[in-house]
């Protein structure tokens, strides 16, 4: 259970940093995402999920 809180906390930190350090970049990214079709947005989400799984797998292999 603690690992879930750790993971969520890290997600919030990274997301928050993006908004604090580059809010205009986040705005442009959101505009670009709005222009994508539903299928392309699903593909972006799938790629993000796969990258997240790969990072988790690497962390597991490193013994974290």
């Amino acid at each position: 259970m603690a690992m879930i809180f750790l993971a969520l906390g890290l997600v919030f930190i990274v997301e928050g940093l993006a908004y604090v350090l580059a809010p205009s970049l986040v705005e442009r990214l959101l505009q670009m995402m709005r222009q994508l079709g539903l299928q392309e947005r699903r593909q972006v989400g799938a790629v993000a999920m796969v990258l997240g799984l790969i990072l988790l797998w690497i962390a597991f292999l490193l013994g974290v």
Side-chain angles (χ1 to χ4, degrees), residues 17-32:
L17 277 174
Y19 284 101
V20 168
L21 297 176
S24 61
L25 181 62
V26 172
E27 177 108 7
R28 282 188 277 152
L29 178 64
L30 290 173
Q31 287 174 354
M32 289 171 46

Side-chain angles (χ1 to χ4, degrees), residues 8-45:
L8 286 174
L10 289 171
V11 167
F12 283 126
I13 289 170
V14 172
E15 289 284 332
L17 277 174
Y19 284 101
V20 168
L21 297 176
S24 61
L25 181 62
V26 172
E27 177 108 7
R28 282 188 277 152
L29 178 64
L30 290 173
Q31 287 174 354
M32 289 171 46
M33 289 296 285
R34 278 188 216 109
Q35 293 173 357
L36 293 176
L38 186 59
Q39 187 62 30
E40 285 105 358
R41 281 185 264 166
R42 283 188 174 139
Q43 289 174 345
V44 169

